[in-house]
Amino acid sequence: MDMRTEPRPARHSLETITSIRWWSPGLCSLRLRKPSGFTFQPGHYARLGLPVSGPDTIIWRAYSIVSAPAEPVLEFLITVIPGGMLTSRLAVLQPGDTLALDTTACGFFVPTQLSPGKDLWMFATGAGLGPYICMLREGSVRKSWSRMVLVHSVRRQHELVYAEEIFRHQADSPESLQYIPTVTREAGGGAMHQRIPQILADGTLQAHVGLPLNAANSRVMVCGNPAFTADMRRLLGERDFQPCRRGFAGSMLFENYW
Ligand SMILES: Cc1cc2nc3c(=O)[nH]c(=O)nc-3n(C[C@H](O)[C@H](O)[C@H](O)COP(=O)(O)OP(=O)(O)OC[C@H]3O[C@@H](n4cnc5c(N)ncnc54)[C@H](O)[C@@H]3O)c2cc1C
Ligand SMILES: NC(=O)c1ccc[n+]([C@@H]2O[C@H](COP(=O)([O-])OP(=O)(O)OC[C@H]3O[C@@H](n4cnc5c(N)ncnc54)[C@H](OP(=O)(O)O)[C@@H]3O)[C@@H](O)[C@H]2O)c1
């Protein structure tokens, strides 16, 4: 049995899908009704579940919450993995269908885990963008930093999801928010084209943003592909960034999606 296939937990509810937006055939934003009393902080994830082999066995997977805490819905950005146990089932659902929701949100990928700093750098690959959208929607996170830099790496231009929304946030705070998309498998579009560790290591990114990245002033969040987060941990470690640990507020924080 899959490690994450487990008997029905004590506290979950069945929630109705209110909308699904397909950005491309394998990438969607899904909204669920938010049950009353469901609370979370920007950066937290929720567990979503679907029954397999009968109603009493549910497969559960973690998904970062995209919507802000004040919104009446829970929004998630989900990549469909071909043959994936949960996402291949999820891909055929329609608004009005239901999903199981573990009613406790959790996680440590919250900016308050970081030690105080001046600038927040937010790095994402693919669906790893999700928690940062929540942080941009939540005003209190934006007020905590002098500057915020959001760097999103995707294979193809059409995977630059939420770009319009990010540009709107940027227009609201042109001095304090910068959005840097990097598209690694397509030319054009004005974006950068190399992987994040590369543009960070050779300084292209910092020059483009016009801001140094150093452990004294910068705090860094990294989310998505685990090979990417491992590269970033090594690269930032070489520059004296310290990982957050239980009871220790460091200067870099990671979320691995698989
Ligand atoms: C804290 C946390 C937050 C997460 N948040 C999100 C989120 O917001 N959006 C999201 O899409 N996913 C997120 N994930 C990943 C998600 O929990 C599932 O692992 C993913 O949706 C695959 O589930 P599945 O049952 O379809 O595939 P499985 O049957 O579990 O896995 C199939 C294979 O795909 C690999 N895999 C899993 N995810 C990916 C991926 N994105 N790209 C390439 N390979 C992958 C797995 O290692 C496995 O080998 C998060 C994971 C964690 C731990
Ligand atoms: N995103 C979608 O629309 C979509 C749709 C259908 C299916 N899928 C499936 O979902 C899975 C994940 O695809 P994805 O595109 O979301 O994620 P991904 O493979 O993690 O790619 C997202 C971005 O991360 C970069 N990246 C990958 N490994 C890296 C590393 N070690 N260091 C730095 N950067 C790294 C990629 O660069 P490179 O281009 O250089 O690798 C790309 O820019 C795949 O199996 C895919 O087939 C995705």
Side-chain angles (χ1 to χ4, degrees):
M1 183 187 279
D2 184 279
M3 290 288 286
R4 291 167 293 169
T5 303
E6 50 197 64
R8 195 179 286 264
R11 285 186 300 159
H12 82 275
S13 59
L14 281 183
E15 298 304 336
T16 304
I17 298 172
T18 59
S19 71
I20 306 178
R21 175 178 182 174
W22 287 99
W23 303 91
S24 68
L27 189 62
C28 71
S29 289
L30 180 146
R31 289 177 166 205
L32 281 186
R33 200 189 70 88
K34 185 168 78 174
S36 65
F38 186 98
T39 58
F40 64 96
Q41 293 176 47
H44 274 165
Y45 64 84
R47 292 196 314 149
L48 301 181
L50 276 174
V52 276
S53 48
D56 290 332
T57 310
I58 294 184
I59 37 166
W60 292 98
R61 297 290 185 262
Y63 295 96
S64 301
I65 305 171
V66 171
S67 44
E71 292 184 58
V73 292
L74 289 172
E75 183 174 332
F76 304 94
L77 173 62
I78 300 178
T79 302
V80 176
I81 306 302
M85 268 185 89
L86 185 115
T87 53
S88 60
R89 289 174 167 84
L90 195 139
V92 298
L93 297 181
Q94 303 284 341
D97 290 337
T98 53
L99 272 174
L101 171 76
D102 184 337
T103 47
T104 309
C106 34
F108 297 99
F109 195 66
V110 290
T112 48
Q113 292 281 323
L114 291 159
S115 59
K118 197 158 156 278
D119 310 312
L120 181 66
W121 292 73
M122 301 170 285
F123 294 105
T125 58
L129 178 73
Y132 303 131
I133 299 298
C134 179
M135 291 170 205
L136 294 184
R137 289 182 185 179
E138 168 67 36
S140 66
V141 178
R142 289 165 69 184
K143 287 192 195 104
S144 309
W145 305 93
S146 160
R147 284 175 74 175
M148 293 170 82
V149 182
L150 172 57
V151 188
H152 188 202
S153 179
V154 294
R155 297 178 183 188
R156 312 217 172 263
Q157 188 84 20
H158 70 263
E159 292 162 8
L160 288 176
V161 297
Y162 293 97
E164 277 180 26
E165 175 175 343
I166 300 167
F167 282 126
R168 279 201 304 278
H169 291 303
Q170 200 174 6
D172 286 347
S173 334
E175 306 292 304
S176 60
L177 174 64
Q178 258 168 297
Y179 169 48
I180 313 291
T182 181
V183 179
T184 46
R185 300 192 191 185
E186 258 174 21
M192 303 188 100
H193 296 292
Q194 270 98 34
R195 286 179 166 192
I196 293 171
Q198 186 178 339
I199 52 178
L200 200 152
D202 68 15
T204 323
L205 176 65
Q206 299 89 312
H208 185 82
V209 174
L211 190 68
L213 182 83
N214 58 50
N217 294 319
S218 320
R219 296 296 171 265
V220 177
M221 300 182 79
V222 182
C223 184
N225 184 316
F228 156 69
T229 64
D231 284 356
M232 291 294 281
R233 184 186 287 267
R234 184 186 43 74
L235 221 149
L236 293 165
E238 287 165 7
R239 293 165 188 236
D240 297 331
F241 282 84
Q242 302 293 322
C244 296
R245 291 186 300 273
R246 196 175 291 276
F248 175 77
S251 43
M252 57 179 175
L253 191 56
F254 299 87
E255 187 87 286
N256 285 336
Y257 272 6
W258 69 97

